[in-house]
Amino acid sequence: MLRLHLTGPMRLDLKVTPGARHEGFDGWFTDADGRRRLKVKVTAAPEKGKANWAVIKLLAKRLGVAPSDIEVVHGETGRDKTLQIAGPDEELRRRIETIGGGTG
């Protein structure tokens, strides 16, 4: 089970694959630094923020929050990203814990 440590706005670590054939979530993994990351695939190209915006829209839809409640706070130009999400902590935690494989 995913354990999130919430202190203020929630942060979520991602591994993003831009230019994918299909959009969706592809499960969880632990990176070399020991961070638990959600794998996200988007069809948008990694140019001029298009992939970031696609990730934000996909995640906002899945979590039931407005895209304006999600911000990329680390990794804007890389595949490893950290997003900050505003919203009711317990509800967000529950929704994030249910994200697994398959499409959004």
Side-chain angles (χ1 to χ4, degrees), residues 2 4 10 14 17 19 23-24 26-27 34 38 40 45-46 48 54-55 57 59 70-71 76 86 90 93-94 99:
L2 173 66
L4 299 172
M10 181 181 300
L14 306 176
T17 301
E23 291 192 342
D26 200 19
L38 175 62
V40 181
K48 299 180 183 175
V55 168
K57 289 191 310 185
L59 197 57
I70 301 176
E71 176 184 5
E76 191 169 317
E90 289 303 317
R93 179 192 315 222
R94 185 187 64 74
I99 295 176

PDB file of all heavy atoms in Angstrom, residues 2 4 10 14 17 19 23-24 26-27 34 38 40 45-46 48 54-55 57 59 70-71 76 86 90 93-94 99:
ATOM      1  N   LEU A   2       0.492   2.234  -0.747  1.00  0.00           N
ATOM      2  CA  LEU A   2       1.224   3.493  -0.843  1.00  0.00           C
ATOM      3  C   LEU A   2       1.069   4.278   0.447  1.00  0.00           C
ATOM      4  O   LEU A   2      -0.039   4.438   0.947  1.00  0.00           O
ATOM      5  CB  LEU A   2       0.681   4.307  -2.019  1.00  0.00           C
ATOM      6  CG  LEU A   2       1.208   5.706  -2.188  1.00  0.00           C
ATOM      7  CD1 LEU A   2       2.685   5.654  -2.535  1.00  0.00           C
ATOM      8  CD2 LEU A   2       0.444   6.425  -3.268  1.00  0.00           C
ATOM      9  N   LEU A   4       1.649   7.935   1.975  1.00  0.00           N
ATOM     10  CA  LEU A   4       1.944   9.331   1.667  1.00  0.00           C
ATOM     11  C   LEU A   4       2.108  10.096   2.969  1.00  0.00           C
ATOM     12  O   LEU A   4       1.322   9.929   3.894  1.00  0.00           O
ATOM     13  CB  LEU A   4       0.807   9.951   0.850  1.00  0.00           C
ATOM     14  CG  LEU A   4       0.536   9.303  -0.489  1.00  0.00           C
ATOM     15  CD1 LEU A   4      -0.741   9.876  -1.098  1.00  0.00           C
ATOM     16  CD2 LEU A   4       1.690   9.513  -1.415  1.00  0.00           C
ATOM     17  N   MET A  10      -0.246  18.203  -0.955  1.00  0.00           N
ATOM     18  CA  MET A  10       0.282  16.876  -1.252  1.00  0.00           C
ATOM     19  C   MET A  10       1.264  16.946  -2.404  1.00  0.00           C
ATOM     20  O   MET A  10       1.054  17.670  -3.368  1.00  0.00           O
ATOM     21  CB  MET A  10      -0.874  15.948  -1.620  1.00  0.00           C
ATOM     22  CG  MET A  10      -0.426  14.540  -1.918  1.00  0.00           C
ATOM     23  SD  MET A  10      -1.793  13.473  -2.368  1.00  0.00           S
ATOM     24  CE  MET A  10      -2.780  13.568  -0.902  1.00  0.00           C
ATOM     25  N   LEU A  14       6.364  11.369 -10.049  1.00  0.00           N
ATOM     26  CA  LEU A  14       5.962  10.694 -11.272  1.00  0.00           C
ATOM     27  C   LEU A  14       7.166  10.342 -12.129  1.00  0.00           C
ATOM     28  O   LEU A  14       8.213  10.978 -12.046  1.00  0.00           O
ATOM     29  CB  LEU A  14       5.066  11.603 -12.130  1.00  0.00           C
ATOM     30  CG  LEU A  14       3.835  12.218 -11.514  1.00  0.00           C
ATOM     31  CD1 LEU A  14       3.170  13.146 -12.515  1.00  0.00           C
ATOM     32  CD2 LEU A  14       2.876  11.155 -11.040  1.00  0.00           C
ATOM     33  N   THR A  17       6.183   9.313 -19.437  1.00  0.00           N
ATOM     34  CA  THR A  17       6.564   8.906 -20.778  1.00  0.00           C
ATOM     35  C   THR A  17       5.752   9.745 -21.756  1.00  0.00           C
ATOM     36  O   THR A  17       4.554   9.501 -21.935  1.00  0.00           O
ATOM     37  CB  THR A  17       6.279   7.407 -21.020  1.00  0.00           C
ATOM     38  OG1 THR A  17       7.004   6.647 -20.054  1.00  0.00           O
ATOM     39  CG2 THR A  17       6.698   6.994 -22.418  1.00  0.00           C
ATOM     40  N   GLY A  19       4.794  11.256 -25.608  1.00  0.00           N
ATOM     41  CA  GLY A  19       4.765  10.693 -26.951  1.00  0.00           C
ATOM     42  C   GLY A  19       4.346   9.229 -26.980  1.00  0.00           C
ATOM     43  O   GLY A  19       4.675   8.510 -27.920  1.00  0.00           O
ATOM     44  N   GLU A  23      -2.683   7.191 -23.491  1.00  0.00           N
ATOM     45  CA  GLU A  23      -2.517   7.879 -22.212  1.00  0.00           C
ATOM     46  C   GLU A  23      -3.043   7.015 -21.085  1.00  0.00           C
ATOM     47  O   GLU A  23      -4.003   6.267 -21.263  1.00  0.00           O
ATOM     48  CB  GLU A  23      -3.278   9.206 -22.216  1.00  0.00           C
ATOM     49  CG  GLU A  23      -2.667  10.221 -23.134  1.00  0.00           C
ATOM     50  CD  GLU A  23      -3.229  11.612 -22.941  1.00  0.00           C
ATOM     51  OE1 GLU A  23      -4.319  11.758 -22.356  1.00  0.00           O
ATOM     52  OE2 GLU A  23      -2.568  12.548 -23.395  1.00  0.00           O
ATOM     53  N   GLY A  24      -2.407   7.129 -19.940  1.00  0.00           N
ATOM     54  CA  GLY A  24      -2.901   6.414 -18.774  1.00  0.00           C
ATOM     55  C   GLY A  24      -1.833   6.238 -17.718  1.00  0.00           C
ATOM     56  O   GLY A  24      -0.729   6.769 -17.824  1.00  0.00           O
ATOM     57  N   ASP A  26       0.451   3.597 -15.424  1.00  0.00           N
ATOM     58  CA  ASP A  26       1.080   2.302 -15.658  1.00  0.00           C
ATOM     59  C   ASP A  26       1.704   1.735 -14.387  1.00  0.00           C
ATOM     60  O   ASP A  26       2.775   1.140 -14.423  1.00  0.00           O
ATOM     61  CB  ASP A  26       2.125   2.456 -16.766  1.00  0.00           C
ATOM     62  CG  ASP A  26       2.477   1.140 -17.425  1.00  0.00           C
ATOM     63  OD1 ASP A  26       1.695   0.179 -17.298  1.00  0.00           O
ATOM     64  OD2 ASP A  26       3.539   1.073 -18.055  1.00  0.00           O
ATOM     65  N   GLY A  27       1.067   1.972 -13.263  1.00  0.00           N
ATOM     66  CA  GLY A  27       1.516   1.390 -12.006  1.00  0.00           C
ATOM     67  C   GLY A  27       2.566   2.201 -11.276  1.00  0.00           C
ATOM     68  O   GLY A  27       2.915   3.307 -11.656  1.00  0.00           O
ATOM     69  N   GLY A  34      15.048   5.489  -4.068  1.00  0.00           N
ATOM     70  CA  GLY A  34      14.089   5.009  -3.080  1.00  0.00           C
ATOM     71  C   GLY A  34      12.760   5.738  -3.101  1.00  0.00           C
ATOM     72  O   GLY A  34      11.941   5.536  -2.211  1.00  0.00           O
ATOM     73  N   LEU A  38       4.762   7.144  -9.591  1.00  0.00           N
ATOM     74  CA  LEU A  38       3.674   6.678 -10.431  1.00  0.00           C
ATOM     75  C   LEU A  38       4.097   6.852 -11.877  1.00  0.00           C
ATOM     76  O   LEU A  38       4.549   7.932 -12.272  1.00  0.00           O
ATOM     77  CB  LEU A  38       2.409   7.504 -10.160  1.00  0.00           C
ATOM     78  CG  LEU A  38       1.204   7.225 -11.043  1.00  0.00           C
ATOM     79  CD1 LEU A  38       0.723   5.781 -10.885  1.00  0.00           C
ATOM     80  CD2 LEU A  38       0.082   8.200 -10.706  1.00  0.00           C
ATOM     81  N   VAL A  40       3.303   7.450 -15.631  1.00  0.00           N
ATOM     82  CA  VAL A  40       2.229   8.090 -16.389  1.00  0.00           C
ATOM     83  C   VAL A  40       2.653   8.189 -17.846  1.00  0.00           C
ATOM     84  O   VAL A  40       3.776   8.605 -18.145  1.00  0.00           O
ATOM     85  CB  VAL A  40       1.925   9.512 -15.858  1.00  0.00           C
ATOM     86  CG1 VAL A  40       0.799  10.152 -16.629  1.00  0.00           C
ATOM     87  CG2 VAL A  40       1.612   9.482 -14.373  1.00  0.00           C
ATOM     88  N   ALA A  45       3.656  15.549 -27.072  1.00  0.00           N
ATOM     89  CA  ALA A  45       5.109  15.639 -27.273  1.00  0.00           C
ATOM     90  C   ALA A  45       5.753  16.418 -26.126  1.00  0.00           C
ATOM     91  O   ALA A  45       5.127  17.301 -25.541  1.00  0.00           O
ATOM     92  CB  ALA A  45       5.405  16.335 -28.593  1.00  0.00           C
ATOM     93  N   PRO A  46       7.016  16.116 -25.816  1.00  0.00           N
ATOM     94  CA  PRO A  46       7.715  16.831 -24.751  1.00  0.00           C
ATOM     95  C   PRO A  46       8.294  18.158 -25.244  1.00  0.00           C
ATOM     96  O   PRO A  46       9.504  18.366 -25.242  1.00  0.00           O
ATOM     97  CB  PRO A  46       8.823  15.849 -24.353  1.00  0.00           C
ATOM     98  CG  PRO A  46       9.130  15.133 -25.619  1.00  0.00           C
ATOM     99  CD  PRO A  46       7.806  15.010 -26.338  1.00  0.00           C
ATOM    100  N   LYS A  48       7.550  22.540 -25.312  1.00  0.00           N
ATOM    101  CA  LYS A  48       6.819  23.739 -24.899  1.00  0.00           C
ATOM    102  C   LYS A  48       5.751  23.462 -23.841  1.00  0.00           C
ATOM    103  O   LYS A  48       4.690  24.056 -23.854  1.00  0.00           O
ATOM    104  CB  LYS A  48       6.179  24.411 -26.117  1.00  0.00           C
ATOM    105  CG  LYS A  48       7.195  24.853 -27.148  1.00  0.00           C
ATOM    106  CD  LYS A  48       6.534  25.517 -28.318  1.00  0.00           C
ATOM    107  CE  LYS A  48       7.579  25.866 -29.361  1.00  0.00           C
ATOM    108  NZ  LYS A  48       6.999  26.396 -30.568  1.00  0.00           N
ATOM    109  N   ALA A  54      -0.558  17.830 -20.419  1.00  0.00           N
ATOM    110  CA  ALA A  54      -1.303  16.583 -20.599  1.00  0.00           C
ATOM    111  C   ALA A  54      -1.312  15.766 -19.302  1.00  0.00           C
ATOM    112  O   ALA A  54      -2.340  15.189 -18.936  1.00  0.00           O
ATOM    113  CB  ALA A  54      -0.709  15.770 -21.744  1.00  0.00           C
ATOM    114  N   VAL A  55      -0.174  15.716 -18.606  1.00  0.00           N
ATOM    115  CA  VAL A  55      -0.091  15.006 -17.326  1.00  0.00           C
ATOM    116  C   VAL A  55      -1.034  15.651 -16.313  1.00  0.00           C
ATOM    117  O   VAL A  55      -1.788  14.964 -15.614  1.00  0.00           O
ATOM    118  CB  VAL A  55       1.357  14.992 -16.785  1.00  0.00           C
ATOM    119  CG1 VAL A  55       1.400  14.534 -15.336  1.00  0.00           C
ATOM    120  CG2 VAL A  55       2.238  14.114 -17.648  1.00  0.00           C
ATOM    121  N   LYS A  57      -3.727  17.485 -16.831  1.00  0.00           N
ATOM    122  CA  LYS A  57      -5.132  17.245 -17.176  1.00  0.00           C
ATOM    123  C   LYS A  57      -5.549  15.817 -16.848  1.00  0.00           C
ATOM    124  O   LYS A  57      -6.637  15.590 -16.309  1.00  0.00           O
ATOM    125  CB  LYS A  57      -5.394  17.547 -18.648  1.00  0.00           C
ATOM    126  CG  LYS A  57      -5.358  19.021 -18.987  1.00  0.00           C
ATOM    127  CD  LYS A  57      -5.882  19.332 -20.368  1.00  0.00           C
ATOM    128  CE  LYS A  57      -5.271  18.491 -21.446  1.00  0.00           C
ATOM    129  NZ  LYS A  57      -5.691  18.862 -22.807  1.00  0.00           N
ATOM    130  N   LEU A  59      -4.205  13.682 -14.658  1.00  0.00           N
ATOM    131  CA  LEU A  59      -4.229  13.480 -13.214  1.00  0.00           C
ATOM    132  C   LEU A  59      -5.401  14.216 -12.560  1.00  0.00           C
ATOM    133  O   LEU A  59      -6.057  13.675 -11.665  1.00  0.00           O
ATOM    134  CB  LEU A  59      -2.898  13.931 -12.611  1.00  0.00           C
ATOM    135  CG  LEU A  59      -2.575  13.438 -11.216  1.00  0.00           C
ATOM    136  CD1 LEU A  59      -2.603  11.916 -11.148  1.00  0.00           C
ATOM    137  CD2 LEU A  59      -1.229  13.949 -10.780  1.00  0.00           C
ATOM    138  N   ILE A  70      -3.132  21.649  -9.573  1.00  0.00           N
ATOM    139  CA  ILE A  70      -1.933  20.829  -9.731  1.00  0.00           C
ATOM    140  C   ILE A  70      -0.825  21.668 -10.349  1.00  0.00           C
ATOM    141  O   ILE A  70      -1.051  22.377 -11.320  1.00  0.00           O
ATOM    142  CB  ILE A  70      -2.220  19.607 -10.623  1.00  0.00           C
ATOM    143  CG1 ILE A  70      -3.339  18.759 -10.014  1.00  0.00           C
ATOM    144  CG2 ILE A  70      -0.951  18.772 -10.813  1.00  0.00           C
ATOM    145  CD1 ILE A  70      -3.758  17.590 -10.882  1.00  0.00           C
ATOM    146  N   GLU A  71       0.369  21.550  -9.780  1.00  0.00           N
ATOM    147  CA  GLU A  71       1.513  22.328 -10.256  1.00  0.00           C
ATOM    148  C   GLU A  71       2.758  21.446 -10.302  1.00  0.00           C
ATOM    149  O   GLU A  71       2.994  20.662  -9.385  1.00  0.00           O
ATOM    150  CB  GLU A  71       1.743  23.486  -9.299  1.00  0.00           C
ATOM    151  CG  GLU A  71       2.947  24.326  -9.590  1.00  0.00           C
ATOM    152  CD  GLU A  71       3.172  25.393  -8.533  1.00  0.00           C
ATOM    153  OE1 GLU A  71       2.464  25.434  -7.521  1.00  0.00           O
ATOM    154  OE2 GLU A  71       4.106  26.188  -8.745  1.00  0.00           O
ATOM    155  N   GLU A  76      10.375  20.010 -14.445  1.00  0.00           N
ATOM    156  CA  GLU A  76       9.549  20.546 -15.532  1.00  0.00           C
ATOM    157  C   GLU A  76      10.010  20.096 -16.917  1.00  0.00           C
ATOM    158  O   GLU A  76       9.197  19.873 -17.806  1.00  0.00           O
ATOM    159  CB  GLU A  76       9.524  22.072 -15.454  1.00  0.00           C
ATOM    160  CG  GLU A  76       8.494  22.679 -16.368  1.00  0.00           C
ATOM    161  CD  GLU A  76       8.281  24.152 -16.087  1.00  0.00           C
ATOM    162  OE1 GLU A  76       8.202  24.535 -14.910  1.00  0.00           O
ATOM    163  OE2 GLU A  76       8.194  24.908 -17.065  1.00  0.00           O
ATOM    164  N   ALA A  86      -3.369  20.503  -4.602  1.00  0.00           N
ATOM    165  CA  ALA A  86      -4.192  21.090  -3.558  1.00  0.00           C
ATOM    166  C   ALA A  86      -5.526  20.344  -3.513  1.00  0.00           C
ATOM    167  O   ALA A  86      -6.057  19.954  -4.548  1.00  0.00           O
ATOM    168  CB  ALA A  86      -4.439  22.568  -3.842  1.00  0.00           C
ATOM    169  N   GLU A  90      -7.260  13.621   2.812  1.00  0.00           N
ATOM    170  CA  GLU A  90      -7.689  12.228   2.938  1.00  0.00           C
ATOM    171  C   GLU A  90      -8.329  11.724   1.654  1.00  0.00           C
ATOM    172  O   GLU A  90      -8.097  10.598   1.245  1.00  0.00           O
ATOM    173  CB  GLU A  90      -8.637  12.051   4.124  1.00  0.00           C
ATOM    174  CG  GLU A  90      -7.948  12.190   5.460  1.00  0.00           C
ATOM    175  CD  GLU A  90      -6.793  11.221   5.642  1.00  0.00           C
ATOM    176  OE1 GLU A  90      -6.922  10.029   5.278  1.00  0.00           O
ATOM    177  OE2 GLU A  90      -5.738  11.655   6.138  1.00  0.00           O
ATOM    178  N   ARG A  93      -5.576  11.243  -0.940  1.00  0.00           N
ATOM    179  CA  ARG A  93      -4.795  10.056  -0.594  1.00  0.00           C
ATOM    180  C   ARG A  93      -5.537   8.797  -1.055  1.00  0.00           C
ATOM    181  O   ARG A  93      -4.953   7.918  -1.675  1.00  0.00           O
ATOM    182  CB  ARG A  93      -4.550   9.980   0.899  1.00  0.00           C
ATOM    183  CG  ARG A  93      -3.751   8.741   1.292  1.00  0.00           C
ATOM    184  CD  ARG A  93      -3.748   8.499   2.767  1.00  0.00           C
ATOM    185  NE  ARG A  93      -3.504   9.715   3.517  1.00  0.00           N
ATOM    186  CZ  ARG A  93      -2.721   9.788   4.564  1.00  0.00           C
ATOM    187  NH1 ARG A  93      -2.092   8.717   4.983  1.00  0.00           N
ATOM    188  NH2 ARG A  93      -2.575  10.903   5.213  1.00  0.00           N
ATOM    189  N   ARG A  94      -6.823   8.726  -0.784  1.00  0.00           N
ATOM    190  CA  ARG A  94      -7.612   7.561  -1.177  1.00  0.00           C
ATOM    191  C   ARG A  94      -7.613   7.388  -2.693  1.00  0.00           C
ATOM    192  O   ARG A  94      -7.414   6.298  -3.209  1.00  0.00           O
ATOM    193  CB  ARG A  94      -9.046   7.698  -0.668  1.00  0.00           C
ATOM    194  CG  ARG A  94      -9.901   6.464  -0.925  1.00  0.00           C
ATOM    195  CD  ARG A  94     -11.347   6.688  -0.561  1.00  0.00           C
ATOM    196  NE  ARG A  94     -11.988   7.705  -1.381  1.00  0.00           N
ATOM    197  CZ  ARG A  94     -12.350   7.539  -2.655  1.00  0.00           C
ATOM    198  NH1 ARG A  94     -12.112   6.406  -3.272  1.00  0.00           N
ATOM    199  NH2 ARG A  94     -12.939   8.504  -3.323  1.00  0.00           N
ATOM    200  N   ILE A  99      -4.919   4.407  -7.890  1.00  0.00           N
ATOM    201  CA  ILE A  99      -4.378   4.487  -9.256  1.00  0.00           C
ATOM    202  C   ILE A  99      -3.453   3.297  -9.480  1.00  0.00           C
ATOM    203  O   ILE A  99      -2.513   3.071  -8.741  1.00  0.00           O
ATOM    204  CB  ILE A  99      -3.603   5.800  -9.493  1.00  0.00           C
ATOM    205  CG1 ILE A  99      -4.538   6.997  -9.401  1.00  0.00           C
ATOM    206  CG2 ILE A  99      -2.919   5.773 -10.860  1.00  0.00           C
ATOM    207  CD1 ILE A  99      -3.848   8.336  -9.517  1.00  0.00           C
TER     208      ILE A  99
END
